[in-house]
Structure formats: C-alpha cells, structure tokens
Amino acid sequence: MGEGSERITTVEIYGQSYYVRGMSSPEYIAQLAAFVDERMREVSELTPTVDTLKVAILAALNIADKYLTARKKLQAVEQLVADRTEKMRASLDSVLHTDST
Amino acid sequence: MGEGSERITTVEIYGQSYYVRGMSSPEYIAQLAAFVDERMREVSELTPTVDTLKVAILAALNIADKYLTARKKLQAVEQLVADRTEKMRASLDSVLHTDST
C-alpha cells in the first residue's frame, strides 16, 4: 500500500489521537484506524471492562484471527488455481491429442 | 476456527496475562496470542515509547493492514479463478465445436 515517502498521519482510535508514521496514504491509514476502532467498540460491548489496553489487546487478537483465516483461505484458493489450471490444461491436451490421431 | 463450546484460555501477551473467552482451541488462541505479542515487540523496537496501549494500538493497525491486504488479494484470486475457469471452458467449447463441424 506504499506510495512515495514516509509521512505522519493523525488518527483517532477509541477516543484517543495517535500519530501514525508510514508510507501509506492518509486515506488508507484512516481506513485502518476506523477498522481498529470498530473492533475495539465491538469488544467493549461484549467484555465489561474499563481497561482500554485489554480492549486493544482483545481487538488485536480478533483482527489476528481474521488475518490468519484470510491467509489460510488465500493459500487454499491459490492451490485451487494451480490445480484447476493443470486439470484444464490436461483436458485440453487430451482433446487435442484425440484430434490428431 | 470454532470447535465445540465456549471456553476460557489464558495467554500471555507483552508480559501480561489475559483470559480469552471463545470457541477456538487453546492451541489456536495461543497461536493468535504469539502473533499479537510478536507484532507488539516489533512495534516497540521501532517506536520509542513506554506506553503499552500505544504499542497495542499500533500493532492492531499493523495486523489490520495485513488483514485488509490479504482480503484484497483473496478477492483478486477468487476473481481470477472465476475468469480463468470461464476462459478455459470457452477454449474447450471452441475445440469441441471445431470438432463437430
């Protein structure tokens, strides 16, 4: 998501401001911040706590779960692409072979 | 990643213990905790701060970035699967059609 040089973007998450240094666009950083903020608000509704650190950690665990699940699916789909391409190629080959005999 | 009824797993993240309630196996929860712990340690090496909440929030942003990137890739690969399948089917159809004329 990088585009150009490093810059600092200010975001608000769970009522507090943070400076985020990075190569990404302010729009993308804002999208990430909104995503984390939403997860924290979900967690705080389910977990009765006033400990913001705990809320942030549980939100991080929740997002890590989403990431590992997406990564696993991605690997499975990439394997599917490879398998299917090979199968289709074999089918085409077999048709072309039938043709030439 | 659910398997059976809800349970409580204790994990240690960034030197502090947390009770995590959920349907996932203790092994998977431990994997998520190790992942979050690692991201927090990476962040703390890059960002000079003693504020653990800030470290947790920056780690959450980092993991959210990985998740959104993986989700985007997954959507692209799924589209590729659909497009390729259609293309291969069209190729097969055209060969079979050439055959019958």
Side-chain angles (χ1 to χ4, degrees):
Chain A
M1 297 291 145
E3 47 173 61
S5 60
E6 203 178 72
R7 57 182 127 190
I8 291 174
T9 307
T10 313
V11 291
E12 199 175 299
I13 297 170
Y14 211 67
Q16 211 162 311
S17 292
Y18 296 92
Y19 297 105
V20 181
R21 220 185 318 145
M23 311 276 269
S24 303
S25 70
E27 293 74 25
Y28 183 62
I29 301 282
Q31 191 191 344
L32 294 179
F35 187 81
V36 170
D37 184 82
E38 257 175 64
R39 296 292 83 66
M40 286 180 73
R41 290 181 196 283
E42 276 175 13
V43 164
S44 74
E45 269 175 37
L46 294 170
T47 314
T49 180
V50 287
D51 181 353
T52 308
L53 174 59
K54 193 178 167 187
V55 173
I57 293 282
L58 293 178
L61 284 169
N62 179 294
I63 302 167
D65 177 25
K66 287 179 190 297
Y67 168 57
L68 294 188
T69 303
R71 195 174 66 175
K72 206 173 163 188
K73 261 191 208 163
L74 185 61
Q75 286 163 346
V77 177
E78 279 172 344
Q79 190 55 52
L80 186 75
V81 171
D83 291 351
R84 240 187 226 189
T85 304
E86 188 43 44
K87 216 168 164 183
M88 287 289 204
R89 193 168 287 146
S91 295
L92 267 175
D93 274 359
S94 108
V95 169
L96 294 171
H97 185 88
T98 307
D99 249 10
S100 65
T101 51
Chain B
M1 295 291 145
E3 47 173 62
S5 59
E6 204 177 70
R7 56 183 128 191
I8 290 175
T9 306
T10 312
V11 291
E12 201 176 297
I13 297 171
Y14 210 67
Q16 211 163 312
S17 292
Y18 296 91
Y19 297 104
V20 180
R21 220 185 318 145
M23 311 276 270
S24 304
S25 71
E27 293 74 24
Y28 183 62
I29 300 282
Q31 190 191 345
L32 295 179
F35 187 80
V36 171
D37 183 82
E38 258 175 62
R39 295 294 81 68
M40 285 180 73
R41 290 181 196 281
E42 276 175 12
V43 164
S44 73
E45 270 176 36
L46 294 169
T47 313
T49 181
V50 287
D51 181 353
T52 307
L53 174 60
K54 193 179 167 185
V55 173
I57 293 281
L58 292 177
L61 284 170
N62 179 294
I63 302 167
D65 178 25
K66 288 180 191 296
Y67 168 58
L68 294 188
T69 303
R71 195 175 64 174
K72 206 174 162 186
K73 260 192 209 163
L74 184 62
Q75 285 163 347
V77 177
E78 280 173 343
Q79 190 55 52
L80 187 74
V81 172
D83 291 351
R84 240 189 228 187
T85 304
E86 187 43 43
K87 217 170 163 181
M88 287 287 204
R89 191 167 289 146
S91 297
L92 267 175
D93 274 358
S94 108
V95 169
L96 293 172
H97 184 88
T98 308
D99 247 12
S100 65
T101 51

